Amino acid sequence: AQSVTQPDIHITVSEGASLELRCNYSYGATPYLFWYVQSPGQGLQLLLKYFSGDTLVQGIKGFEAEFKRSQSSFNLRKPSVHWSDAAEYFCAVGTGANNLFFGTGTRLTVIP
Amino acid sequence: DGGITQSPKYLFRKEGQNVTLSCEQNLNHDAMYWYRQDPGQGLRLIYYSQIVNDFQKGDIAEGYSVSREKKESFPLTVTSAQKNPTAFYLCASSQLGQGIWSPLHFGNGTRLTVT
């Protein structure tokens, strides 16, 4: 069965600092991997996705993620965080039925 | 602009009443989904539909019902059998195609409070 683990419930970073959000997955086949962002009271917006090919994928808002098969990880990174990046971030794995299985999320706080 | 519209944004009901949440999309997507979001639990799939007049249960379908009479509409009914209905409900849609995995597009959600 598939599963997604986001080990950090809450992360606080200073504006301008670098960011890495962790995601580990378990899935029997080649995974389709996603990162979504959610602002309070809003829906989810797709940041980036990995289907195949280059293991470093670029997304919107300056985010990138690296797929590491040997570690079953898909960590999200940003070199310099902006105050507007404060939100909740969800990692997800796509299954064969075109469904998404989500992690429990990481809440990001950005301090000035 | 194409998108997914969920209404209302906030909904209040008394315990024991059924309530229907609306979800409409104009993206011409084949598949539609309902997720429930609770603090600290991420999103859990309630129901999904890949074609009109057909739908499948997700991980937490008990106490919910859906219909898919039109491609663009996928309403969710929270019945009185749902033991803990207070939550944030998200509707999503995606395109389907052979060999294509299409990311989900989400609406802005409906927050349901049952007292």
Side-chain angles (χ1 to χ4, degrees), chain A residues 2 32 34 36 38 41-46 49 51 88 90 93-105, chain B residues 9 33 35 37 40-43 45 48 50 59 88 90 94-96 100-109:
Chain A
Q2 69 278 353
Y32 299 111
F34 305 82
Y36 282 85
Q38 183 182 34
Q42 300 296 313
L44 277 69
Q45 180 183 20
L46 180 67
K49 61 185 184 288
F51 285 178
E88 188 145 22
F90 292 93
V93 61
T95 70
N98 211 78
N99 292 333
L100 282 183
F101 193 84
F102 286 86
T104 53
Chain B
K9 189 169 179 64
Y33 310 79
Y35 286 88
Q37 185 177 19
Q41 295 195 48
L43 280 73
L45 182 64
Y48 67 99
Q50 296 186 328
D59 301 316
F88 190 53
L90 285 160
S94 71
Q95 187 57 286
L96 297 178
I100 299 172
W101 213 106
S102 173
L104 271 60
H105 297 257
F106 284 84
N108 283 331

Side-chain angles (χ1 to χ4, degrees), chain A residues 51-99:
Chain A
F51 285 178
S52 64
D54 193 349
T55 56
L56 184 64
V57 294
Q58 302 296 321
I60 62 171
K61 304 185 180 187
F63 285 92
E64 66 178 27
E66 186 171 14
F67 171 58
K68 293 185 177 180
R69 185 184 298 275
S70 61
Q71 299 177 18
S72 297
S73 70
F74 189 56
N75 294 349
L76 182 72
R77 300 194 295 248
K78 187 170 185 178
S80 177
V81 171
H82 188 262
W83 64 266
S84 60
D85 293 325
E88 188 145 22
Y89 292 80
F90 292 93
C91 181
V93 61
T95 70
N98 211 78
N99 292 333

